[in-house]
Amino acid sequence: MLNLVIFGAPGSGKGTQSEHLTNRYGLFHISTGEVLRDHISRGTELGKIADSYISKGNLIPDELMLKVLEKTLDENPEATANGVIFDGFPRTIPQAEALGEMMKRRGTRIHSVVGLEVPEEELIKRLIHRGKESGRADDNPDTIKTRLDVYHQQTAPLRKYYTDRNTYHAVEGSGDVAKIFNDISKHIDTLDHAD
Ligand code: ATP
Ligand code: MG
């Protein structure tokens, strides 16, 4: 198995790098943001609840997020057999603790948390630029500010959480996409992931 978390602020490039990693390592990509946006576009009950948080730039409650994540894993036993790349999850300490337990129950663990480190000015530039094309309700200047604040308050502490557990690996996340991918791959190729 190979279970990775791709970690970083909004706009750090988690989605882009996850796509490359999925292809190279045969992993199942779970983007919690995409799962939620899919519910929003289908107008499901969950989508309505999720939209009320996402459009303001806030996180959806842990308990709900955890249920959605576990359901995604349970529904894809074959696709997840080689391992999973978690993109946008965990975003809080309780989510990280629950993820650890979930992996344990499945007889495995998170092998590495790869943190894409990008300067704040660059993040803002990327998100504003993406907002012009993505049509995403949360890629607008006010919401971007909230999302970055939420990231610093609730998500950034995970860096220390995983560093303390010898699981965090920082990668320089600005510059050429292929170079960043190469840096991540070099790190992954050093991992012991027999379990
Ligand atoms: P990137 O641009 O690096 O891919 P992002 O922050 O722009 O990341 P998503 O990861 O797609 O975008 O998340 C969009 C929104 O979905 C979040 O702002 C939040 O409201 C909600 N969300 C996604 N994952 C979680 C989570 N693990 N817990 C709570 N809310 C979440
Ligand atoms: Mg994303």
Side-chain angles (χ1 to χ4, degrees):
M1 286 277 264
L2 175 58
N3 300 303
L4 303 172
V5 170
I6 186 112
F7 182 82
S12 58
K14 301 186 291 287
T16 304
Q17 293 299 331
S18 295
E19 290 299 329
H20 290 289
L21 290 165
T22 308
N23 294 337
R24 175 167 304 180
Y25 296 97
L27 305 175
F28 187 67
H29 178 202
I30 301 180
S31 160
T32 45
E34 273 174 27
V35 171
L36 297 171
R37 283 190 289 279
D38 177 56
H39 276 273
I40 293 172
S41 70
R42 288 188 286 123
T44 67
E45 272 316 299
L46 168 62
K48 284 173 200 152
I49 300 169
D51 189 42
S52 69
Y53 293 94
I54 293 182
S55 59
K56 295 192 186 77
N58 293 318
L59 299 184
I60 74 161
D62 286 337
E63 209 187 315
L64 182 58
M65 191 69 252
L66 286 163
K67 269 194 210 145
V68 175
L69 184 84
E70 187 128 44
K71 187 161 178 281
T72 307
L73 288 173
D74 287 342
E75 283 173 352
N76 295 284
E78 276 148 38
T80 58
N82 273 338
V84 176
I85 174 148
F86 296 95
D87 160 10
F89 184 94
R91 263 178 155 94
T92 64
I93 301 268
Q95 288 182 11
E97 289 187 328
L99 178 62
E101 282 158 24
M102 231 182 275
M103 292 293 103
K104 218 176 190 173
R105 282 202 296 280
R106 289 161 195 268
T108 186
R109 64 190 171 97
I110 295 295
H111 299 89
S112 186
V113 174
V114 175
L116 295 172
E117 309 211 330
V118 177
E120 189 102 355
E121 317 81 69
E122 167 92 20
L123 294 172
I124 297 170
K125 247 197 274 171
R126 288 185 189 179
L127 290 168
I128 288 177
H129 176 76
R130 185 172 77 188
K132 291 182 183 146
E133 291 155 12
S134 69
R136 267 176 60 168
D138 58 348
D139 284 343
N140 67 76
D142 282 349
T143 311
I144 289 168
K145 186 181 179 311
T146 308
R147 285 160 66 202
L148 290 170
D149 289 346
V150 166
Y151 172 76
H152 289 298
Q153 283 166 24
Q154 303 192 55
T155 307
L158 291 175
R159 197 176 183 284
K160 179 174 187 314
Y161 177 91
Y162 284 115
T163 302
D164 290 347
R165 286 157 183 76
N166 291 321
T167 310
Y168 188 79
H169 180 83
V171 169
E172 163 78 68
S174 30
D176 185 42
V177 171
K179 154 111 182 29
I180 299 165
F181 178 56
N182 192 43
D183 290 346
I184 300 174
S185 301
K186 266 196 261 162
H187 161 65
I188 292 175
D189 294 338
T190 68
L191 293 172
D192 170 10
H193 58 91
D195 55 340

